[in-house]
């Protein structure tokens, strides 16, 4: 997506947020360490009072030192209590700040997801849309050039889909498009990209896939679509759904994205002209003779 929501709202860096969490952990560690240390010192100091002979042999002198020690311990406890209250206040303040930052970050992430869905995804099928597909296709083509590997283009078109919309309505047509998208996606590898170009036309990009492998994939999709379940309509049963596919391979059949889309579209036209429910590989000979 070209729109960056982080430029319109509170800008929060994840690194800064993680650093704040580390500071909070360090503060808590020092607080607990200091608490344990002071308790140990107080325990040792109080235990030492059980051995007056160690402090002084004279009772009066011992009593004086005992009173001074008790006062010192009371003062130490008061100072330590103030320190604990201060540290706890700082930790609570930092936690509140982190909570606010997390809330802001969540809002930014939600906004980013919404913008991404609007900019990159087709709202009906959940597949990538035409705009995102074309941008991504150019990146795949550049990668294919660097690696000197093929990139397969498959254009798919549902046969007689206009008749389905006319006879059964667009609601049934939308349900079929959703089911078709799910069926095609399940037939693909994660490295492949499936997008909706518009209407009943779709495209699949197949990195590192030559012509023969593309034909195998096309037949697998065609068979999967033929077995696809369709909505049940009481008045008039919906006939089986079929799909026609056009195949082109970069860079064999084109040097630019526009040429590749034209080549795969012409191959699609050839499969429809030959009777539909089949796949066709782009051929310059057929283009010339046709």
């Amino acid at each position: 997506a070209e729109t960056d929501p982080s430029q319109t709202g509170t800008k929060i860096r994840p690194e800064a947020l993680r650093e704040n969490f580390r500071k909070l952990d360090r503060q808590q560690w020092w607080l607990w360490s200091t608490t344990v240390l002071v308790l140990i010192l107080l325990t040792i100091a109080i235990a030492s009072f059980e051995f007056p002979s160690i402090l002084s042999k004279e009772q009066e002198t011992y009593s004086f030192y005992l009173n001074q020690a008790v006062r010192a311990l009371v003062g130490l406890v008061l100072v330590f209590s103030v320190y604990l209250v201060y540290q706890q206040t700082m930790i609570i303040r930092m936690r509140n700040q982190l909570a606010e930052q997390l809330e802001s970050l969540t809002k930014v992430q939600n906004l980013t997801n919404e913008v991404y869905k609007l900019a990159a995804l087709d709202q009906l099928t959940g597949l990538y849309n035409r705009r995102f597909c074309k941008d991504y296709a150019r990146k795949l083509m550049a990668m294919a050039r660097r690696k000197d590997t093929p990139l397969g283009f498959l254009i798919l078109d549902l046969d007689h889909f206009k008749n389905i919309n006319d006879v059964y309505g667009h609601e049934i047509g939308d349900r079929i498009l959703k089911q078709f998208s799910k069926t095609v996606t399940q037939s693909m590898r994660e490295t492949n990209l499936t997008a909706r170009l518009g209407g009943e036309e779709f495209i699949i990009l197949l990195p590192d896939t030559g012509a023969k492998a593309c034909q195998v994939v096309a037949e697998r999709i065609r068979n999967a679509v033929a077995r696809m379940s369709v909505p049940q309509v009481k008045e008039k049963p919906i006939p089986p759904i079929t799909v026609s596919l056009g195949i082109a391979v970069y860079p064999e059949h084109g040097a630019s994205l526009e040429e590749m889309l034209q080549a795969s579209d012409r191959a699609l036209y050839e499969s429809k002209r030959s009777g539909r429910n089949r796949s066709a590989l782009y051929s310059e000979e057929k283009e010339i003779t046709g």
Side-chain angles (χ1 to χ4, degrees):
E2 296 180 358
T3 304
D4 186 4
S6 64
Q7 302 298 327
T8 60
T10 304
K11 191 173 183 179
I12 302 174
R13 293 182 303 169
E15 296 80 6
L17 197 57
R18 285 192 290 268
E19 179 61 26
N20 287 336
F21 274 114
R22 285 193 288 268
K23 289 181 180 179
L24 181 61
D25 291 337
R26 286 195 294 268
Q27 289 242 6
Q28 289 180 321
W29 186 86
W30 278 109
L31 182 62
W32 284 111
S33 299
T34 306
T35 302
V36 172
L37 180 61
V38 171
L39 289 176
I40 292 174
L41 292 175
L42 289 176
T43 301
I44 294 174
I46 294 174
S48 67
F49 297 152
E50 298 294 332
F51 306 97
S53 59
I54 297 177
L55 300 175
S56 176
K57 293 183 178 180
E58 299 181 359
Q59 186 67 27
E60 293 180 0
T61 304
Y62 169 71
S63 299
F64 172 77
Y65 281 116
L66 179 61
N67 291 334
Q68 295 296 323
V70 169
R71 291 175 182 175
L73 288 176
V74 171
L76 183 61
V77 169
L78 291 175
V79 171
F80 184 66
S81 299
V82 173
Y83 172 77
L84 285 178
V85 172
Y86 170 76
Q87 288 295 326
Q88 191 64 29
T89 302
M90 295 300 295
I91 290 176
I92 292 175
R93 182 180 301 175
M94 184 175 292
R95 282 178 176 170
N96 292 336
Q97 291 175 351
L98 291 176
E100 292 176 359
Q101 291 178 348
L102 284 174
E103 183 179 359
S104 299
L105 185 59
T106 300
K107 292 179 180 179
V108 171
Q109 289 176 336
N110 291 337
L111 180 59
T112 302
N113 292 336
E114 291 300 321
V115 172
Y116 172 77
K117 290 179 181 179
L118 293 174
L121 300 181
D122 175 65
Q123 300 303 302
L124 176 64
T125 63
L127 300 177
Y128 292 107
N129 59 25
R130 185 186 190 95
R131 177 183 178 185
F132 178 88
C133 177
K134 293 180 72 173
D135 292 339
Y136 193 72
R138 292 188 177 93
K139 295 179 181 179
L140 291 180
M141 292 172 69
M143 186 182 301
R145 283 195 300 271
R146 290 194 302 268
K147 296 170 58 178
D148 193 24
T149 56
L151 173 62
F153 282 68
L154 269 65
I155 286 190
L156 304 80
D157 190 271
L158 288 172
D159 297 326
H160 305 295
F161 188 74
K162 183 177 183 302
N163 294 337
I164 293 177
N165 279 332
D166 293 340
V167 175
Y168 302 98
H170 289 276
E171 181 179 354
I172 294 296
D174 289 347
R175 290 171 60 184
I176 291 176
L177 288 175
K178 291 180 181 179
Q179 184 61 35
F180 172 78
S181 302
K182 182 179 179 180
T183 301
V184 172
T185 302
Q186 291 174 345
S187 303
M188 293 292 97
R189 296 179 301 178
E190 293 182 357
T191 55
N192 301 333
L193 181 137
T194 305
R196 184 186 181 194
L197 295 179
E200 67 272 20
E201 191 173 50
F202 297 78
I203 187 172
I204 301 174
L205 302 177
L206 304 161
D208 301 327
T209 309
K212 291 184 179 180
C214 284
Q215 289 175 309
V216 172
V217 173
E219 283 303 299
R220 183 169 71 241
I221 294 174
R222 190 182 64 82
N223 292 328
V225 172
R227 297 190 302 267
M228 183 180 74
S229 60
V230 296
Q232 299 296 321
V233 180
K234 296 181 180 180
E235 296 80 7
K236 187 177 181 181
I238 300 177
I241 303 299
T242 61
V243 62
S244 298
L245 304 97
I247 305 169
V249 179
Y250 174 83
E252 181 180 351
H253 299 142
S256 65
L257 177 60
E258 289 71 22
E259 291 179 359
M260 289 304 304
L261 292 176
Q262 290 177 3
S264 53
D265 195 58
R266 288 167 182 167
L268 174 64
Y269 172 79
E270 178 63 26
S271 67
K272 286 186 171 294
R273 190 179 68 85
S274 301
R276 293 185 171 86
N277 190 24
R278 64 194 65 206
S279 62
L281 178 66
Y282 175 75
S283 172
E284 292 183 356
E285 293 182 359
K286 291 183 179 179
E287 183 70 19
I288 294 173
T289 58

